[in-house]
C-alpha cells in the first residue's frame, strides 16, 4: 500500500480545479498539494480564484520533468492540455480525470464526438500510460444523453460527473488503495484537428436532416462561435447555432 504525500495537480481548467481544492480542504496537514498550469494558461486568473499559489510547468522541458519526478509521488492531470511525456508517466504515478466515458471518446471534446457518432458519454478517472486517455480505469460513470442536448448541456453534466467521481475516489487514490480495470477495447481517439474539421459547413453536402441537427447541436456550446458557412456574396463566415426545446 502506498500512501501518497506529495501531490501535484496540473491543470488548465479553472472550475474543475476550484472543485478539487474544495475536496482537499482540511487534509493539507497530512499531505502536500501543489497546483500547476501550462504556460499558455492565465496564471492571474487561476491565482485569483484559488487559495493556493500556482506554478507554471512546461512539460516539454526535461528539467521540469526531472524536478516533478523528484518532488512528487502522485500527479493528477485535471484537464491539463499538455501531453505527459513517457519519462514522467514511467517514474511517478499519474492519474487523469477525463471528460469522456473510456474507452469510447478518448481525446478532445468527447461530448462533441459522442453526439456526432452516437456513443456513450460520461467521465473517467484512470492511470495515465503512454497513450492518450488509455490507461487502466479506476472508475467511470455514464451520463444521460438526450436528443435535445447541445454540447454545452452534455458538457455540464460531464463536469458534474467528474466531480462526483473525484469525491468518491479521491480518498482511495490518496491512500493507494484503489483497484483498476483494463479498458475493454482501444476505442477511438479524436484530436483538436478532428474538431476543427467539423466546423465549416459545406453548403452543398447531402446530409440527412437528423445528421445535420446532430452536427449543429454537437457544435452548439454557449457563446463559442463554432460551426459556420461562407456567405458566397460577402465571403464572410456566418456562424450557426441550434436551439432545441423538447415539448413539456
Ligand atoms: O478543459 P476542457 O473541458 O477539456 C479539454 C478536452 O476536451 C479534454 O479531453 C482534455 N483532457 C482536456 C485537457 O482539454 O476544455 P475547454 O475548457 O477548452 O473546453 C470545454 C468545452 O468547450 C469543450 O468540450 C467544447 C467547448 N468548446 C471549447 C472551445 C475552446 C467549443 O465548443 N469551442 C471552442 O472553441
Amino acid at each position: 500500500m502506498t500512501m501518497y504525500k506529495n501531490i501535484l495537480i496540473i491543470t488548465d481548467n479553472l472550475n474543475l480545479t476550484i472543485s478539487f481544492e474544495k475536496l482537499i480542504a482540511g487534509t493539507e496537514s497530512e499531505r502536500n498539494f501543489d497546483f500547476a498550469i501550462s504556460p499558455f494558461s492565465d496564471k492571474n486568473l487561476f491565482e485569483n480564484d484559488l487559495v493556493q499559489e500556482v506554478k507554471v510547468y512546461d512539460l516539454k522541458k526535461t528539467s521540469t520533468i526531472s524536478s516533478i519526478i523528484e518532488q512528487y509521488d502522485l500527479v493528477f492531470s485535471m484537464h491539463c492540455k499538455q501531453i505527459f511525456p513517457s519519462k514522467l508517466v514511467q517514474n511517478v504515478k499519474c492519474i487523469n480525470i477525463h471528460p469522456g466515458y473510456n474507452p469510447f471518446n478518448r481525446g478532445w471534446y468527447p461530448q462533441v464526438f459522442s453526439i456526432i457518432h452516437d456513443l456513450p458519454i460520461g467521465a473517467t478517472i484512470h492511470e495515465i500510460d503512454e497513450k492518450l486517455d488509455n490507461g487502466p480505469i479506476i472508475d467511470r460513470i455514464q451520463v444521460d444523453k438526450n436528443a435535445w442536448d447541445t454540447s454545452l448541456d452534455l458538457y455540464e453534466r460531464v463536469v458534474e460527473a467528474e466531480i462526483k467521481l473525484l469525491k468518491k475516489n479521491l480518498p482511495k487514490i490518496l491512500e493507494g488503495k484503489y483497484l483498476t480495470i483494463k479498458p475493454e477495447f482501444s476505442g477511438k481517439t479524436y484530436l483538436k484537428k478532428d474538431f476543427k474539421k467539423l466546423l465549416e459547413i459545406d453548403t452543398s453536402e447531402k446530409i440527412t436532416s437528423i445528421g445535420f441537427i446532430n452536427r449543429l447541436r454537437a457544435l452548439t456550446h454557449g457563446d463559442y462561435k463554432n460551426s459556420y458557412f461562407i456567405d458566397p456574396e460577402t465571403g464572410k463566415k456566418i456562424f450557426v447555432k441550434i436551439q432545441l426545446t423538447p415539448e413539456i
Side-chain angles (χ1 to χ4, degrees):
M1 192 181 89
T2 323
M3 152 97 163
Y4 297 110
K5 288 227 177 257
N6 290 304
I7 299 132
L8 174 68
I9 296 98
I10 314 189
T11 181
D12 292 299
N13 186 299
L14 178 58
N15 287 334
L16 209 54
T17 312
I18 292 173
S19 299
F20 189 91
E21 208 180 37
K22 284 189 190 139
L23 285 182
I24 57 166
T27 66
E28 293 93 335
S29 56
E30 300 154 40
R31 296 185 171 87
N32 173 50
F33 291 95
D34 285 343
F35 290 83
I37 55 168
S38 303
F40 44 78
S41 278
D42 180 347
K43 191 172 186 230
N44 287 334
L45 197 81
F46 277 78
E47 287 199 324
N48 280 344
D49 282 339
L50 293 177
V51 179
Q52 292 232 20
E53 66 174 86
V54 170
K55 300 165 193 257
V56 178
Y57 280 155
D58 180 347
L59 301 184
K60 286 205 186 87
K61 287 195 177 148
T62 46
S63 57
T64 303
I65 299 304
S66 306
S67 128
I68 295 175
I69 293 169
E70 223 168 85
Q71 290 180 73
Y72 301 101
D73 45 26
L74 179 62
V75 180
F76 283 99
S77 167
M78 190 85 65
H79 293 201
C80 167
K81 289 197 165 115
Q82 301 180 80
I83 302 276
F84 279 33
S86 310
K87 191 176 169 201
L88 179 60
V89 302
Q90 281 167 3
N91 287 285
V92 192
K93 178 67 71 192
C94 294
I95 288 177
N96 187 29
I97 325 299
H98 177 61
Y101 189 75
N102 286 12
F104 300 97
N105 290 317
R106 294 162 51 198
W108 219 245
Y109 304 168
Q111 80 285 352
V112 169
F113 296 97
S114 128
I115 295 174
I116 303 262
H117 300 296
D118 193 19
L119 295 169
I121 180 71
T124 306
I125 301 184
H126 67 92
E127 290 186 339
I128 303 180
D129 65 8
E130 271 138 23
K131 294 187 190 143
L132 193 65
D133 303 324
N134 178 71
I137 295 168
I138 298 170
D139 204 0
R140 61 185 168 181
I141 182 173
Q142 254 181 267
V143 301
D144 292 341
K145 181 157 75 76
N146 305 305
W148 59 90
D149 287 332
T150 62
S151 166
L152 178 61
D153 296 326
L154 265 184
Y155 181 74
E156 286 175 344
R157 225 169 279 148
V158 166
V159 171
E160 227 172 82
E162 288 183 290
I163 296 163
K164 199 165 143 191
L165 267 191
L166 270 172
K167 215 175 197 167
K168 176 177 163 210
N169 290 282
L170 197 57
K172 288 186 254 183
I173 293 173
L174 295 175
E175 293 292 325
K177 276 187 186 156
Y178 61 89
L179 302 172
T180 59
I181 58 158
K182 249 187 92 166
E184 294 83 349
F185 51 96
S186 62
K188 278 232 163 173
T189 304
Y190 297 100
L191 304 174
K192 200 171 183 179
K193 64 170 194 258
D194 299 311
F195 176 73
K196 288 203 162 151
K197 269 191 229 154
L198 293 173
L199 301 185
E200 183 172 0
I201 298 166
D202 171 358
T203 50
S204 63
E205 185 187 344
K206 296 262 182 294
I207 183 170
T208 60
S209 47
I210 194 64
F212 192 52
I213 289 170
N214 286 341
R215 168 109 168 244
L216 289 181
R217 68 190 181 94
L219 296 169
T220 296
H221 196 111
D223 291 334
Y224 281 119
K225 290 192 166 86
N226 288 330
S227 50
Y228 66 88
F229 65 91
I230 305 280
D231 173 22
E233 263 175 44
T234 59
K236 279 185 199 284
K237 283 183 182 176
I238 313 296
F239 292 98
V240 187
K241 277 198 248 187
I242 192 168
Q243 188 180 333
L244 303 115
T245 314
E247 89 177 316
I248 304 170

